[in-house]
Amino acid sequence: DVKVTQSSRYLVKRTGEKVFLECVQDMDHENMFWYRQDPGLGLRLIYFSYDVKMKEKGDIPEGYSVSREKKERFSLILESASTNQTSMYLCASSQGIAGGLYNEQFFGPGTRLTVL
Amino acid sequence: GQQVMQIPQYQHVQEGEDFTTYCNSSTTLSNIQWYKQRPGGHPVFLIQLVKSGEVKKQKRLTFQFGEAKKNSSLHITATQTTDVGTYFCAGPMDSNYQLIWGAGTKLIIKP
């Protein structure tokens, strides 16, 4: 079974702190994604990566950065946390495109971040 | 830009009643995926539809992809408490690296 793990289920930080959220997948997937999920807004893509050291901005990248130094690990960084970044953060991974078919995404359990 | 609209946002049903959620894309999609998120859980892939007019069934769940490949629906027959959760549709962006997600439909079973 594909497994996507996230470093914390719950995290409480203070405004201005630097926050690291880590995600690890064990299926050698090329693509990795960071989403945030807020009530009524569905899943919004923050950043994604389709290869090591490659990153692309999603819909809401402001206030975030990412790092992918190894294929299995994708980190989300909040340089200076703010209260409006309180949210559920979900990491996902997927295989690369094969035969023109887009592959399913496998999600981690999520990190509920509260910024005070 | 590309958008996927999903309705309704919520649906309250009595156990045993049917449930349907609809997705409409602003552009033609190469395929569409459906996910389910249980309360307190994370999205889990249910199915992918690829062909125009495709219909797939998983037990009490029926998935349809429109002829123009711009809309899709998920229908659950005779809902059970295990069906509770939020159902999302998602279609690939033209770039093919990311999915565009509908806002989800939350299925609530009335006691």
Side-chain angles (χ1 to χ4, degrees):
Chain A
D1 272 356
V2 174
K3 200 161 185 183
V4 181
T5 56
Q6 294 184 227
S7 48
S8 307
R9 288 300 304 270
Y10 300 93
L11 207 53
V12 180
K13 295 292 181 180
R14 298 217 172 266
T15 301
E17 280 193 84
K18 191 168 185 175
V19 182
F20 292 88
L21 302 181
E22 298 249 296
C23 174
V24 178
Q25 51 94 4
D26 66 358
M27 279 301 290
D28 202 35
H29 283 171
E30 287 81 4
N31 303 327
M32 296 189 75
F33 308 83
W34 274 108
Y35 294 92
R36 65 176 281 176
Q37 185 173 29
D38 301 288
L41 296 178
L43 292 162
R44 293 184 292 167
L45 183 65
I46 305 171
Y47 268 97
F48 66 99
S49 168
Y50 54 89
D51 201 353
V52 175
K53 296 192 185 294
M54 305 300 289
K55 60 185 179 184
E56 294 279 346
K57 292 180 181 179
D59 302 319
I60 50 164
E62 297 79 18
Y64 304 94
S65 62
V66 290
S67 172
R68 194 167 180 202
E69 296 296 318
K70 292 186 177 182
K71 192 174 185 180
E72 67 270 18
R73 190 179 297 268
F74 192 34
S75 302
L76 180 69
I77 302 145
L78 287 67
E79 294 289 341
S80 177
S82 63
T83 54
N84 62 14
Q85 292 179 310
T86 291
S87 186
M88 171 67 83
Y89 290 87
L90 289 162
C91 175
S93 72
S94 72
Q95 281 186 321
I97 307 290
L101 206 59
Y102 196 92
N103 290 293
E104 65 186 274
Q105 293 188 6
F106 294 86
F107 284 82
T111 296
R112 185 164 294 283
L113 172 68
T114 302
V115 183
L116 302 174
Chain B
Q2 284 180 267
Q3 287 187 2
V4 173
M5 308 296 289
Q6 189 174 356
I7 56 168
Q9 190 175 358
Y10 300 94
Q11 191 165 0
H12 294 77
V13 300
Q14 298 277 7
E15 189 174 3
E17 290 182 339
D18 292 356
F19 161 85
T20 306
T21 174
Y22 300 91
C23 273
N24 287 289
S25 169
S26 59
T27 60
T28 302
L29 297 170
S30 58
N31 58 82
I32 194 160
Q33 299 179 0
W34 286 91
Y35 292 76
K36 176 183 178 182
Q37 184 175 22
R38 294 181 186 274
H42 57 273
V44 175
F45 175 80
L46 292 176
I47 207 162
Q48 179 164 253
L49 304 173
V50 179
K51 298 176 185 174
S52 169
E54 189 169 14
V55 178
K56 285 189 176 179
K57 293 194 175 186
Q58 290 179 349
K59 298 183 181 177
R60 293 177 294 103
L61 278 62
T62 302
F63 303 85
Q64 292 189 321
F65 200 12
E67 293 289 341
K69 300 183 78 172
K70 293 182 74 174
N71 56 71
S72 182
S73 65
L74 158 59
H75 180 83
I76 304 177
T77 304
T79 54
Q80 299 175 358
T81 54
T82 53
D83 297 324
V84 161
T86 302
Y87 293 84
F88 293 96
C89 61
M93 275 195 78
D94 294 338
S95 66
N96 274 345
Y97 284 121
Q98 55 176 306
L99 291 174
I100 309 170
W101 292 79
T105 296
K106 191 170 185 177
L107 169 58
I108 299 160
I109 305 276
K110 291 187 271 192

